[in-house]
Amino acid sequence: MLTGAGAAREDVTSARRIVVKVGSSSLTSARGGLDADRVDALVDAIAARRAEGAQVVLVSSGAIAAGLAPLGLSRRPRDLATQQAAASVGQGLLVARYTASFARHGLRVGQVLLTVDDVTRRAHYRNAYNTLDKLLAMGAVPVVNENDTVATEEIRFGDNDRLAALVAHVVHADLLVLLSDVDGLYDGDPAKPTSARVASVSGAQDLEGIEIGKAGKAGLGTGGMVTKVEAAGIATSAGIPVVLTAARFASDALAGKDTGTLFHRTGVRTADRLLWLAHASTARGRLTLDPGAVRAVVERRSSLLPAGITGVQGGFVAGDPVDLVDENGHIVARGLVNFDAKELPGLFGRSTRELARELGPAYEREVVHRDDLVLLRR
């Protein structure tokens, strides 16, 4: 059911630790340079909420866009090397601009650059938490961005929307605010007068029939409404409410006023590794399960044993994430595997006790332990 907001949003006004994400198009001009007035307006909104006692982490896109003009580029480059060069130049300009702007309020900035590994590997994830938590405890404003200059597979991390949702989970945030150039989710094309803003989303049923657009025409950002709605789903499923609105309404959004779209929490906080597996990991292969193993994993939440595996694909090693699929190839779960791919064919259909007798005690273990497994079947 879609509902209006009415009074101030209690989940917003009561939040003590907030993650704010802003996109490239909200910080830069059409020519690609940073817009100082836009940056200052955002910083003023964050500083006002800080003055009320809240801690704020800023996840900011814009490094590549900020580097275009200084490098004489007229548009966002397509090749990875030029994107990385633009990010290298632009990231320094971006942080310098934030440093100067926050200094007007007596606030310090701490730069935190993350890669996909930092939110998929547990040791890195813990290090990220410790750094962000210490910066907040010391009164600084962490400014987080994808480490674009060393990205090897993909220059963006879901346009930082998905990264922001994961950062919100990392720091145990009470609220995630996603800022873009559109003032919320609409039930149609926002440019059409017949489209209406969706004030509130309580679950997936509220999104049925809504056309969700892609990236805008400016060409500076890489995401769109799709990545923002997906990020909202990640955060709300982990118990974190989300406000999605335009950057120009950042102050109203942080004050709990009726702006944008409020996504209500739909779940509770889960173990960190389950969030990594579901939303931050890339499967390195897949294991095909027989019907009995599918029931055991999905219905009884059991560990996956070698007796229930009928096939293996991929070149993964122990510790990698793998998808668990049924006989029709439908993904039912993802987990961290305890064996290399080349070891598994010889284990198919055999009990752990039999394997331990024949191969040694190291083989009397699960292929995927239930504590390292998350269900993905919808």
Side-chain angles (χ1 to χ4, degrees):
M1 175 178 172
L2 305 182
T3 60
R9 296 162 167 175
E10 185 178 349
D11 280 348
V12 177
T13 56
S14 63
R16 308 317 299 163
R17 181 170 283 191
I18 304 167
V19 173
V20 175
K21 185 269 176 180
V22 64
S24 300
S25 60
S26 300
L27 297 173
T28 56
S29 67
R31 296 186 305 275
L34 286 172
D35 187 319
D37 291 338
R38 291 186 177 188
V39 173
D40 287 347
L42 172 64
V43 167
D44 291 346
I46 293 173
R49 190 60 194 266
R50 275 288 310 263
E52 296 173 354
Q55 296 177 323
V56 180
V57 176
L58 176 59
V59 177
S60 178
S61 301
I64 294 176
L68 298 183
L71 291 176
L73 300 172
S74 59
R75 63 181 63 185
R76 184 184 178 93
R78 293 181 179 274
D79 66 288
L80 180 62
T82 309
Q83 288 178 14
Q84 290 176 324
S88 178
V89 172
Q91 185 62 38
L93 296 172
L94 185 66
V95 173
R97 181 62 253 176
Y98 277 130
T99 299
S101 191
F102 275 108
R104 298 177 299 124
H105 299 277
L107 296 173
R108 296 176 299 279
V109 163
Q111 177 179 251
V112 180
L113 297 178
L114 299 177
T115 65
V116 173
D117 273 353
D118 296 319
V119 289
T120 56
R121 299 189 181 277
R122 279 178 279 184
H124 293 200
Y125 197 97
R126 176 56 56 179
N127 289 339
Y129 166 77
N130 289 337
T131 299
L132 291 165
D133 191 60
K134 179 59 71 173
L135 283 168
L136 292 170
M138 298 179 73
V141 178
V143 176
V144 180
N145 196 1
E146 167 91 5
N147 194 349
D148 291 333
T149 59
V150 297
T152 56
E153 294 183 4
E154 184 68 30
I155 194 65
R156 63 187 184 279
F157 196 96
D159 188 40
N160 278 353
D161 294 312
R162 189 157 59 110
L163 177 60
L166 293 165
V167 167
H169 191 273
V170 170
V171 300
H172 302 181
D174 305 309
L175 175 68
L176 171 62
V177 178
L178 298 174
L179 302 175
S180 69
D181 50 3
V182 180
D183 64 335
L185 176 66
Y186 279 74
D187 60 8
D189 185 345
K192 296 181 179 179
T194 55
S195 300
R197 176 172 62 91
V198 178
S200 177
V201 174
S202 297
Q205 69 280 359
D206 292 346
L207 300 175
E208 294 178 3
I210 294 178
E211 299 177 8
I212 300 176
K214 298 182 179 179
K217 298 178 180 178
L220 296 174
T222 57
M225 195 56 65
V226 172
T227 62
K228 290 163 181 58
V229 172
E230 289 175 348
I234 294 170
T236 55
S237 67
I240 304 168
V242 177
V243 175
L244 167 62
T245 191
R248 64 184 183 276
F249 297 131
S251 182
D252 288 345
L254 289 168
K257 295 182 180 180
D258 180 12
T259 184
T261 302
L262 172 63
F263 293 79
H264 296 276
R265 57 172 65 90
T266 59
V268 296
R269 183 175 173 83
T270 58
D272 287 343
R273 63 179 172 275
L274 299 185
L275 198 77
W276 310 327
L277 286 172
H279 302 295
S281 64
T282 300
R284 304 298 184 185
R286 55 171 49 195
L287 303 177
T288 302
L289 281 53
D290 65 29
V294 171
R295 287 193 297 273
V297 168
V298 175
E299 298 174 13
R300 299 198 299 274
R301 306 296 177 93
S302 301
S303 299
L304 175 63
L305 301 177
I309 304 174
T310 61
V312 58
Q313 290 178 274
F316 54 83
V317 297
D320 280 345
V322 296
D323 283 337
L324 311 186
V325 305
D326 64 18
E327 290 181 310
N328 297 316
H330 299 137
I331 299 173
V332 298
R334 181 173 295 165
L336 300 179
V337 67
N338 288 323
F339 294 90
D340 294 353
K342 62 183 180 182
E343 296 180 272
L344 287 172
L347 312 182
F348 292 170
R350 305 174 68 181
S351 71
T352 53
R353 185 173 299 179
E354 175 191 351
L355 291 169
R357 272 199 314 268
E358 182 179 328
L359 302 174
Y363 286 85
E364 192 172 9
R365 68 184 191 274
E366 308 86 351
V367 175
V368 178
H369 192 278
R370 63 185 180 184
D371 289 343
D372 288 327
L373 186 152
V374 61
L375 300 183
L376 297 180
R377 172 177 274 177
R378 296 295 182 258

